[in-house]
Amino acid sequence: MHIIFLIIKREYLTRVRKRSFLVMTILGPLLIFGFYAIIGWAAVSSINQKKIAVVDESGRFASKFKNDDETVYAYPKQPLATVKKTFVKQGYDALVFIPSTVIDNPKTVQIFAEKSVSMSLQNTIERAISKEIETIKLGQAGITQKVIEDAKVNVDAQTISMSDEGERSSNAIAMTIIGYFCAFMIYISVFIYGTQVMRGVMEEKTSRIVEVIISSVKPFQLMLGKILGVALVGLTQFMLWILLTVGLFAVGGALVGDKADRGRQAMQASGAMAQPGAVGASQVQDGAVASVLQAVETLNIPLIVGCFLFYFLGGYLLYSALFGAVGAAVDNETETQQFMFPITLPIIGAIAVAQFVIRDPDGALAFWTSIIPFTSPVVMMVRIPFGVPAWELALSMFLLVLGFMGTTWLAARIYRVGILMYGKKVTYKELSKWLFYKA
């Protein structure tokens, strides 16, 4: 145990003293938020306004399509055959043909375009036509336009979670965002830190340093010490990221709050509170901040943070043992590709399944994928903000620990042979033989 501790200490101190660790610890959260901010900005700014020509034989849909930032509609008076020949040259992106029989036969609507139209544009056009047909038929049934408009209401429901402890407000959007964010961070961490273990093993093997180390320690002790040392590095980095993020939110919230208070006091002193526009802006800002705070307050933060650390460690330990075995089995990074895909396939599948689990966090797919050790670190973190029965959480954690012990045993059998094997082409058949070699 003392030897393993020394290896853990060496791995930990060597890595946290690197300049790259300090840089990534400070810049990591900023890079992640910046990455998503750029993607969001690019997604919004890349939308070009579409020009749509509408040929309406029924005469009922003129001005029924609403122009917005994404779509502009025009209503040429020429026949369909003429417009079909010229609408591309006139700069239109699509042509919508609404026949005179559309009320009785809605499926006769046609959309022409030089290229295929996007799904969102098709849905927008179909919704507008369906809505107008619905209004016309309701009018024919004797229901007035005023009654139809009065019947259109927006419902903003308050969600409440019921448990043995009583009723508690919940926020589905906040639960979805925090659940998927935690799952994605574990997914990324497994690749980042698992790859560090694999490359560390390869470097020691190719530089022949491992031959000196093996003379003093057992291969299993070396592998376990390296895995745990890198795990502590990752845990340290995550704790620092959490502290930095909380600190940034606290400082930012205080600055925004002080600024809002000063602005409110200045407006009160100058009588600006009487200006409707100024009051509205302040109220909107305060309302947005209050909504975010209320959404966060509905989450069980201690449970989420505790489970995140457990599943981060569990997932990392399970996969890093396999990454370490791959690093010991090969002589260079090129040869790792054939072994990496089967190892990473389960966790890639987990992040794909997570998108379906968000829709139904209590379904059969969510249950089984949050129990299986290879997918549970990602999928269970998606479910936890929505509430998971204690026995399911305990079973998932127990199986994850068993999974880690199983993969560590398997990796150790490969590691003890592969770490001293040079110049031999390794295949899956060869790896299977290593499992049964006697020490």
Side-chain angles (χ1 to χ4, degrees):
M1 194 64 191
H2 178 66
I3 294 176
I4 295 177
F5 175 76
L6 290 178
I7 297 172
I8 293 173
K9 182 180 177 181
R10 171 182 171 274
E11 290 292 330
Y12 181 79
L13 294 179
T14 301
R15 294 177 187 278
V16 297
R17 287 173 177 169
K18 289 183 178 179
R19 185 176 299 176
S20 59
F21 175 82
L22 297 175
V23 171
M24 282 306 300
T25 300
I26 296 172
L27 296 182
L30 298 177
L31 290 175
I32 293 173
F33 285 114
F35 174 73
Y36 282 103
I38 291 174
I39 290 178
W41 173 81
V44 173
S45 61
S46 63
I47 298 176
N48 296 321
Q49 193 177 53
K50 304 292 184 185
K51 291 180 62 179
I52 310 298
V54 179
V55 176
D56 180 17
E57 280 189 352
S58 67
R60 295 175 178 268
F61 294 87
S63 74
K64 299 300 182 184
F65 295 97
K66 305 298 182 185
N67 296 335
D68 53 30
D69 294 336
E70 299 180 10
T71 315
V72 174
Y73 297 94
Y75 303 89
K77 302 299 181 184
Q78 295 86 357
L80 174 63
T82 304
V83 179
K84 281 174 65 176
K85 295 178 182 177
T86 59
F87 80 96
V88 175
K89 295 180 181 178
Q90 293 177 351
Y92 292 105
D93 296 286
L95 165 64
V96 179
F97 173 63
I98 304 175
S100 57
T101 59
V102 67
I103 304 298
D104 299 322
N105 193 1
K107 294 185 178 181
T108 54
V109 175
Q110 294 177 307
I111 302 176
F112 301 91
E114 188 179 24
K115 301 176 182 178
S116 299
V117 297
S118 65
M119 184 179 294
S120 63
L121 177 60
Q122 180 179 349
N123 290 336
T124 300
I125 295 171
E126 290 175 348
R127 280 199 304 269
I129 295 175
S130 299
K131 182 179 177 183
E132 186 58 24
I133 291 176
E134 179 182 348
T135 302
I136 292 172
K137 289 192 173 182
L138 288 173
Q140 292 173 347
I143 300 175
T144 63
Q145 187 65 30
K146 184 177 185 307
V147 174
I148 295 173
E149 293 298 329
D150 291 341
K152 296 176 182 176
V153 295
N154 292 322
V155 178
D156 186 8
Q158 180 185 7
T159 57
I160 300 171
S161 299
M162 300 179 63
S163 63
D164 296 337
E165 300 173 355
E167 298 181 356
R168 184 168 60 88
S169 296
S170 60
N171 187 302
I173 297 176
M175 290 187 289
T176 300
I177 292 175
I178 197 68
Y180 194 79
F181 177 76
C182 291
F184 187 74
M185 291 304 295
I186 291 177
Y187 170 77
I188 291 292
S189 302
V190 167
F191 278 99
I192 292 177
Y193 298 113
T195 304
Q196 285 188 18
V197 172
M198 184 183 70
R199 288 179 175 169
V201 172
M202 287 176 56
E203 287 174 3
E204 290 179 350
K205 179 181 178 180
T206 53
S207 63
R208 301 294 179 97
I209 294 176
V210 71
E211 295 179 5
V212 179
I213 301 175
I214 288 298
S215 64
S216 304
V217 301
K218 295 180 180 178
F220 176 76
Q221 293 174 327
L222 178 60
M223 186 192 76
L224 191 61
K226 185 176 289 294
I227 291 173
L228 294 177
V230 177
L232 290 178
V233 174
L235 197 59
T236 301
Q237 201 161 43
F238 266 115
M239 294 301 295
L240 291 174
W241 281 351
I242 292 173
L243 291 176
L244 286 173
T245 303
V246 171
L248 287 174
F249 272 102
V251 173
L255 291 176
V256 171
D258 292 343
K259 186 177 179 181
D261 290 339
R262 287 197 298 271
R264 191 179 299 109
Q265 292 171 3
M267 285 188 296
Q268 288 174 342
S270 61
M273 292 294 288
Q275 299 176 14
V279 174
S282 175
Q283 289 176 341
V284 168
Q285 184 182 46
D286 292 349
V289 174
S291 299
V292 173
L293 294 176
Q294 288 176 359
V296 173
E297 288 174 355
T298 62
L299 301 172
N300 191 342
I301 297 298
L303 177 65
I304 293 173
V305 172
C307 290
F308 175 80
L309 294 177
F310 177 85
Y311 280 102
F312 160 71
L313 281 176
Y316 160 78
L317 293 174
L318 187 144
Y319 278 98
S320 62
L322 299 176
F323 276 103
V326 171
V330 300
D331 292 335
N332 56 69
E333 197 156 344
T334 305
E335 297 179 7
T336 63
Q337 302 304 317
Q338 61 174 322
F339 300 110
M340 287 286 287
F341 181 69
I343 293 174
T344 55
L345 191 60
I347 197 164
I348 293 175
I351 199 67
V353 168
Q355 302 177 41
F356 299 98
V357 172
I358 287 175
R359 300 179 182 178
D360 185 11
D362 296 321
L365 178 66
F367 172 78
W368 288 110
T369 51
S370 61
I371 295 298
I372 298 172
F374 287 97
T375 55
S376 63
V378 171
V379 178
M380 184 56 87
M381 282 312 305
V382 175
R383 296 185 61 199
I384 285 174
F386 292 91
V388 178
W391 71 269
E392 289 187 21
L393 194 59
L395 177 61
S396 174
M397 290 180 170
F398 176 70
L399 292 179
L400 182 58
V401 173
L402 287 184
F404 159 63
M405 295 173 65
T407 56
T408 302
W409 176 85
L410 184 71
R413 304 288 291 183
I414 297 174
Y415 187 89
R416 61 178 184 148
V417 179
I419 199 68
L420 296 175
M421 187 75 72
Y422 298 97
K424 186 174 183 179
K425 182 70 174 178
V426 180
T427 62
Y428 285 104
K429 184 178 180 182
E430 188 69 22
L431 288 179
S432 64
K433 291 180 180 177
W434 292 0
L435 294 177
F436 301 101
Y437 281 176
K438 293 184 179 179

